[in-house]
Amino acid sequence: AQIKSVQMGTSLASSSQANITLATVVESDNAIVIIKPCVVDPTSEYLSKTLVSLTDTTLSLSSGDECQYIVIEFPFGEVKSIQRGTDKSNNTTKTVNHSSVDVNKSFVLLDNRFYIGSSGEYINLAKITARTETSFTYRGNYYIYDPSYTSGTISYQIVEFY
């Protein structure tokens, strides 16, 4: 697939949802978002952001610490569909159902919410363990020290090409 445009930026730390006005309008039905955490000091607390929504003019991210974002837009006619959503993960295997896609022409992007702190480090890493045309299964929340941290929110994007 070809790429039409790429926009990159930084979202500063925020205690509420961050709404970022994009520099250039994108066709959100043809664009994906990649979020890259910016852990400046790994010895201090850090809470990553996840994707909330993307419109043609605005990128919305959850509360959390500083991160970099990349919005990649594909030309019209390249992307058949993008399904976005969130799921509350836990320390078990979970299945997310979605509209049917061709697994040979699609992929799943997951944004993982994680927290690093001195009193209860956990990482909510969602690892895909199975895929079908109408679902994907993942194993969530691999925590390190404190088993009371057993849930968190992941965001996902299912991208299907023609």
Side-chain angles (χ1 to χ4, degrees):
Q2 296 181 14
I3 294 176
K4 180 178 178 182
S5 69
V6 176
Q7 295 184 54
M8 297 172 26
T10 300
S11 176
L12 299 177
S14 60
S15 59
S16 60
Q17 180 173 306
N19 297 312
I20 301 158
T21 301
L22 298 174
T24 307
V25 173
V26 298
E27 177 58 48
S28 58
D29 291 341
N30 294 321
I32 61 173
V33 179
I34 299 172
I35 301 169
K36 179 183 173 193
C38 298
V39 181
V40 177
D41 180 359
T43 62
S44 65
E45 293 186 2
Y46 182 87
L47 178 64
S48 66
K49 294 185 179 194
T50 57
L51 176 65
V52 173
S53 66
L54 174 67
T55 68
D56 293 353
T57 59
T58 305
L59 168 64
S60 297
L61 302 176
S62 67
S63 62
D65 287 308
E66 182 178 350
C67 72
Q68 292 180 326
Y69 61 85
I70 305 168
V71 178
I72 302 171
E73 181 184 19
F74 297 96
F76 180 77
E78 297 274 334
V79 176
K80 184 174 183 179
S81 68
I82 299 178
Q83 300 175 56
R84 294 183 177 92
T86 59
D87 191 54
K88 190 80 163 174
S89 71
N90 55 31
N91 196 26
T92 61
T93 299
K94 291 191 71 183
T95 298
V96 174
N97 296 310
H98 54 77
S99 297
S100 184
V101 296
D102 182 339
V103 294
N104 295 314
K105 296 181 178 183
S106 63
F107 62 91
V108 179
L109 284 174
L110 297 175
D111 291 319
N112 302 295
R113 182 115 172 150
F114 67 88
Y115 166 78
I116 300 171
S118 59
S119 62
E121 291 75 19
Y122 77 93
I123 300 178
N124 182 28
L125 296 177
K127 174 186 174 186
I128 295 175
T129 58
R131 273 196 76 201
T132 70
E133 290 82 6
T134 58
S135 69
F136 68 90
T137 302
Y138 72 95
R139 169 84 179 170
N141 202 17
Y142 297 92
Y143 54 83
I144 299 173
Y145 295 110
D146 188 344
S148 67
Y149 291 101
T150 58
S151 66
T153 301
I154 64 151
S155 59
Y156 61 86
Q157 300 171 85
I158 303 159
V159 184
E160 181 181 25
F161 292 94
Y162 283 103

